[in-house]
Amino acid sequence: MTPAVKCLIVLAIVALLFITELIPLAITAMSGAIACGLLGFIPAKQVFSGLSNSTVVLFAGMFVVGAAMFHTGLAQKIGISIVRFSGTSENSLMFGIMIVGAGLSSVLSNTGTAACLMPVVLGICAAAKIPASRQLMPLAYAAGVGGIITLVGTPPNIIVSGALTSFGYEPFSFFEFAWIGIPLTVVAIAYMMFIGKYLLPKAELDADQEIEQEIEATVHDSKKQIISGLILAVVVIVMALDLKSISLEMAAIIGALVCVLTGCLTEKQAYASIDWVTIFLFAGMMPVSTAMDKTGAGKLIAEWAVSLMGGAPTPIIMTSVLFIISCTLTQFMSNTAA
């Protein structure tokens, strides 16, 4: 059995574990990297090389900067202001929710955005006698689609950019995703406003039902809210300018350090805000990717895929197939893992 075939078997086992989640995703990813090292696909010193990748630093820094917005209550305050400004009619409220959800998730965690806005939306729905499900589903869609606007909007964006760097190509710039992300976000909001709303379920919520706050602000200081907002704004601007003297990773870490030093969140909160599953998923799968390249497993998959598409597929066909495969996989597994 050739090394390429052995590597494909390892990859198939890893993919199966990602889909079934029989063991935690982070353990699956790191186990895949360790297996590649034990089987000699990559040198032992490369097994944990993903943890030293600069993309990991970018992940960690942006998780902390984003968390400061939630812990100071600034993200919640923005959400409350815009949602209340939209009024209590179903259409205007839906529009306001989707705008603020997409906007915040473009630079913050989409999960955190949905979680911090959820109690705000539920409270308004209960008071206005509006079915909660008809506003929560648009919130979820907006938080998801908003993440594709910038490089740091969602982990997969950073992962593919890091992959380009590891193979010697120029990484994506901060707003390069926006050329496609913004039009898709506009289309998603328009679809929900004019078509999707007729397909939404109607789950009623009692006005006196207690609303649980998913992400609570731990600091109620307007000055720190301003500071956390300024930190995020400066980090985003520096990243967008693509300065040669300050890399994306440096900007993210400096922003994270300032967040802790100014008291926008504590050191423990900073550690807790980092999504370690995403970190280890990236760090574990990068060595597996290297193993696929060195053993020829990646070439085998490419040749097989090309033969299925007729031997000489056009770029449009190749992109379509990859798009369909990715969409299918993410129905069963984490989009970060996929």
Side-chain angles (χ1 to χ4, degrees):
M1 189 180 296
T2 64
V5 175
K6 291 180 181 179
C7 187
L8 286 177
I9 293 174
V10 171
L11 182 64
I13 294 173
V14 169
L16 179 63
L17 291 174
F18 276 147
I19 293 172
T20 58
E21 296 191 28
L22 293 175
I23 59 177
L25 297 178
I27 295 178
T28 297
M30 296 308 299
S31 297
I34 292 172
C36 289
L38 292 175
L39 293 171
F41 301 154
I42 54 176
K45 64 180 181 181
Q46 287 189 6
V47 171
F48 301 109
S49 60
L51 289 169
S52 62
N53 192 291
S54 60
T55 304
V56 170
V57 178
L58 177 58
F59 272 129
M62 289 310 299
F63 280 137
V64 175
V65 172
M69 292 277 289
F70 298 124
H71 283 292
T72 59
L74 180 58
Q76 293 90 325
K77 188 175 183 178
I78 293 173
I80 291 172
S81 299
I82 295 180
V83 171
R84 286 184 175 173
F85 178 78
S86 301
T88 56
S89 71
E90 188 173 82
N91 287 337
S92 62
L93 182 59
M94 183 183 298
F95 181 74
I97 289 171
M98 295 196 75
I99 288 293
V100 69
L104 288 176
S105 65
S106 68
V107 289
L108 304 176
S109 161
N110 48 12
T111 303
T113 297
C116 83
L117 291 179
M118 188 175 70
V120 177
V121 174
L122 287 175
I124 293 177
C125 287
K129 305 293 184 180
I130 298 174
S133 61
R134 295 182 61 79
Q135 301 298 334
L136 290 179
M137 195 175 286
L139 169 62
Y141 285 134
V145 74
I148 63 176
I149 293 177
T150 69
L151 175 65
V152 298
T154 185
N157 292 3
I158 304 177
I159 289 175
V160 295
S161 184
L164 282 178
T165 303
S166 66
F167 284 102
Y169 295 98
E170 188 72 21
F172 294 116
S173 62
F174 187 81
F175 279 117
E176 199 159 352
F177 287 92
W179 293 105
I180 297 175
I182 291 178
L184 284 178
T185 301
V186 172
V187 169
I189 295 175
Y191 173 83
M192 185 59 67
M193 293 296 300
F194 295 104
I195 300 175
K197 66 180 181 180
Y198 297 108
L199 307 175
L200 295 173
K202 295 183 179 181
E204 300 289 345
L205 187 69
D206 295 334
D208 58 350
Q209 183 170 337
E210 183 178 353
I211 307 300
E212 182 180 356
Q213 177 72 52
E214 291 293 320
I215 295 184
E216 294 186 5
T218 55
V219 179
H220 295 278
D221 187 335
S222 59
K223 290 184 179 179
K224 289 182 178 178
Q225 289 180 353
I226 294 173
I227 292 172
S228 65
L230 288 175
I231 292 172
L232 177 64
V234 171
V235 169
V236 169
I237 291 172
V238 170
M239 288 183 171
L241 292 175
D242 196 20
L243 302 175
K244 299 299 180 182
S245 58
I246 303 179
S247 65
L248 300 182
E249 296 79 13
M250 289 175 62
I253 290 301
I254 291 173
L257 292 175
V258 175
C259 285
V260 175
L261 290 174
T262 55
C264 291
L265 73 173
T266 65
E267 183 181 1
K268 289 184 177 180
Q269 288 171 339
Y271 290 138
S273 67
I274 298 175
D275 187 345
W276 294 103
V277 173
T278 298
I279 297 291
F280 282 107
L281 272 175
F282 175 82
M285 292 311 295
M286 288 305 292
V288 174
S289 176
T290 302
M292 290 179 64
D293 180 52
K294 289 189 174 182
T295 61
K299 185 178 180 180
L300 279 180
I301 294 176
E303 291 175 348
W304 173 74
V306 169
S307 65
L308 287 180
M309 290 183 282
T314 63
I316 293 178
I317 294 177
M318 291 181 63
T319 302
S320 299
V321 171
L322 289 173
F323 191 87
I324 292 171
I325 292 174
S326 299
C327 289
T328 303
L329 286 176
T330 53
Q331 303 306 307
F332 307 100
M333 60 194 292
S334 160
N335 56 358
T336 304

